Amino acid sequence: MAEHEPQQGEQDLEKKIVEIRQRFKNELLKDSTDKYDSRDVERIEQEDALVEAYLTWRLYVVDDTLKMIDESLLWRKEFGINDVSEGTIPRWMFESGAVFLHGYDREGNKLFWFKVKLHIKDAKTVVDKKKYVAFWLERYAKKEPGMPLTVVFDMTESGLSNIDMDFVKYVINCFKVYYPKFLSKMIIVEMPWIMNAAWKIIKSWLGPEAIAKLKFATKAEIHTYIGAEHLPPHLGGSDNFKYTYPPLPDDDFQTPLCENGPMAGEDDAESKEGEMESRDALESSFNSEIVAKPKKVNFLEESLRSEDGERDTNVRVKGVRKPLTTFKGLLLDVSPSEELSFGSGENEKKCLIILSNVTKNQVAFKVRTTAPEKYRVKPSSSSCEPGASVDIVVSLHGGSQASPQDRFLIMAAEMENTGSQELTQFWKDVQKNKVMEHRLRCHVLDSVKSAAVPHRDSLGETSTNGQQELSTTLMRVMACNSRLEQKMNSCLWVQKVLTGLVLVLLALNLLCLYLLGTAQRPS
């Protein structure tokens, strides 16, 4: 019986998704096809994950889901969200540093910072400010689809002049209506006591489904949610990151602001990459599984064409788990598609990335990581022949441990005129709009538990599913209780009104009887 329950749940979900699409077409698109942006309509019609996100956020209530989709798509068209870019927003907003993405919380969620002291209420710029917030959210949605955000309102040194209730309500609506399932939690840091009344109003806007995500923290308590390495010094952390515009080339999300911007500042990046490759060549001699070669990392381009190279590749790839999923790209197919899984066991400290050339030309590629001190990538830069594949081994260096915050960036560009062109020069000359990018995040395996109790994996999954179902059920009950409470309040109000009317009628009747009695009395 238990085996059929997940299947039944999936079938119910699919039915609701189909129902939503049918009603979306028949009810919301009935009046006009120009009501929404056609690109958003296409996403609703084609992307199951997007519809499911709206559905789960509205506790699987179809009517509420359709209402949310309607509000979200109307907003997206009103603000032209699909066309918002760096060029459509005033430069001074980027230079202010009031809003930006940087760092991760203890659960591996990206941090979305709001420096409240830098915000001043101004009716003339409110639309641009709202587009600015949407710019960062759209940017994150494209880079990390399906991954939640942790919003941090840093209220250090802020005062009443920095509080803009309309703007705060807009930010809350972004997560409540416009971007479903995006919000992991919202942390209010160092809130001045004078703003307690304002935040009570703001808290009421969140609704029951998001109240649990709101956290108030002092400078000492913020460490519960965010590690010191991702906190600025004024909050007791050790992260000396300073937002700049144009951004520095060492931050995964500040660079690029334009789509293929990692190529910006390439001279500095290449010099750093050269240093990394030199270290790799020295440190590889300590690794018994890697044949040391007195060349740069791109030696694989030539060695793949020889029998020696094939043997070398086989030695390096031996013992590394092969990926099971594949991302289909315009230039390269990348396996795995989303995650590199690392653990503490010896056989879990290496991962394999397979790049397959799907073009008719040679494709140059390079791999970057947000934690170069922890990982060794072999090869980190090379090229792939038409129809061929390249195996890239990513290994943890020394006693380093993988973290969910770590990311890898794969960049690829088609080499139409191969000849004897150096890869370094090629990457300097290549046009940014011709560079394909694909990002991989790290997944940390629970090696100890899986090794000690391998037969309990299915039980663990069942337990997790059960917890999720219980959580969903509780949220539904809370939502039902909230609706019942509202109805009871309405009934009580109607009852009071009716009671008042009855008392008025009774008073009128008594007055009439009194007047009749007075009129009949003999003079």
Side-chain angles (χ1 to χ4, degrees), residues 114-118 153-159 162 189-192 219 232 234-235:
F114 286 82
K115 297 286 187 179
V116 179
K117 72 175 183 179
L118 299 177
F153 280 99
D154 183 2
M155 304 191 72
T156 308
E157 300 178 7
S158 62
N162 304 120
V189 188
E190 291 290 291
M191 186 184 74
K219 181 178 176 180
H234 73 271
L235 292 178

Side-chain angles (χ1 to χ4, degrees), residues 160-388:
L160 287 175
S161 62
N162 304 120
I163 292 295
D164 184 347
M165 301 292 280
D166 179 65
F167 183 73
V168 173
K169 187 173 184 178
Y170 167 79
V171 174
I172 289 173
N173 274 337
C174 281
F175 296 98
K176 184 179 177 183
V177 180
Y178 310 141
Y179 292 91
K181 292 183 71 178
F182 252 53
L183 185 62
S184 168
K185 52 186 163 291
M186 184 178 290
I187 308 175
I188 316 299
V189 188
E190 291 290 291
M191 186 184 74
W193 65 268
I194 200 169
M195 298 182 188
N196 284 334
W199 280 104
K200 284 182 180 178
I201 297 173
I202 291 169
K203 190 174 179 180
S204 68
W205 291 338
L206 286 171
E209 71 279 359
I211 285 292
K213 298 180 182 293
L214 185 63
K215 313 291 181 184
F216 292 89
T218 62
K219 181 178 176 180
E221 294 167 341
I222 187 63
H223 292 265
T224 305
Y225 307 105
I226 305 171
E229 69 275 14
H230 294 299
L231 283 173
H234 73 271
L235 292 178
S238 58
D239 186 2
N240 292 316
F241 168 80
K242 293 186 182 300
Y243 176 88
T244 58
Y245 184 84
L248 297 173
D250 60 348
D251 189 275
D252 186 34
F253 276 83
Q254 308 311 326
T255 305
L257 283 178
C258 53
E259 280 306 311
N260 293 304
M263 298 302 295
E266 191 68 25
D267 291 338
D268 294 337
E270 288 295 343
S271 63
K272 289 181 180 179
E273 186 175 89
E275 293 175 5
M276 283 179 56
E277 291 171 348
S278 299
R279 289 201 306 267
D280 289 345
L282 292 171
E283 289 162 352
S284 64
S285 61
F286 295 97
N287 191 334
S288 60
E289 292 189 13
I290 300 178
V291 178
K293 287 181 176 286
K295 295 184 181 181
K296 293 181 72 174
V297 181
N298 61 3
F299 71 87
L300 192 62
E301 179 182 1
E302 296 179 359
S303 64
L304 281 173
R305 301 172 189 171
S306 65
E307 293 180 1
D308 292 339
E310 290 177 1
R311 286 196 296 269
D312 178 67
T313 304
N314 291 335
V315 170
R316 290 190 296 104
V317 174
K318 185 178 180 181
V320 183
R321 298 183 308 279
K322 290 189 176 181
L324 302 177
T325 58
T326 301
F327 165 78
K328 301 291 184 181
L330 295 176
L331 305 180
L332 297 172
D333 287 350
V334 183
S335 301
S337 60
E338 295 181 357
E339 293 181 341
L340 294 177
S341 298
F342 293 92
S344 58
E346 287 301 320
N347 62 338
E348 296 172 342
K349 291 188 176 182
K350 290 186 178 182
C351 285
L352 183 65
I353 301 175
I354 302 176
L355 304 181
S356 301
N357 187 347
V358 296
T359 71
K360 296 181 180 179
N361 295 315
Q362 191 170 344
V363 173
F365 67 86
K366 55 183 175 180
V367 183
R368 290 180 178 174
T369 175
T370 56
E373 73 283 356
K374 293 166 59 173
Y375 298 95
R376 296 295 170 258
V377 182
K378 300 287 185 175
S380 64
S381 177
S382 187
S383 61
C384 185
E385 297 292 335

Side-chain angles (χ1 to χ4, degrees), residues 6 108 284 401 423 444 508 522:
S284 64
Q401 296 293 326
L423 283 176
V444 181
L508 288 173

Side-chain angles (χ1 to χ4, degrees), residues 128-140:
D128 285 330
K129 287 177 180 176
K130 290 179 178 180
K131 286 185 178 181
Y132 184 48
V133 173
F135 167 84
W136 284 108
L137 290 174
E138 284 290 298
R139 172 177 168 74
Y140 181 77

Side-chain angles (χ1 to χ4, degrees), residues 14-29:
E14 290 175 0
K15 287 180 181 178
K16 288 191 174 183
I17 291 176
V18 171
E19 181 185 351
I20 287 170
R21 285 184 172 142
Q22 289 176 344
R23 290 184 59 182
F24 175 77
K25 184 176 181 180
N26 298 333
E27 298 175 17
L28 300 182
L29 292 177

Side-chain angles (χ1 to χ4, degrees), residues 1-20:
M1 183 67 182
E3 295 179 357
H4 295 288
E5 289 179 359
Q7 295 180 358
Q8 184 64 39
E10 291 176 4
Q11 291 174 0
D12 292 342
L13 179 61
E14 290 175 0
K15 287 180 181 178
K16 288 191 174 183
I17 291 176
V18 171
E19 181 185 351
I20 287 170

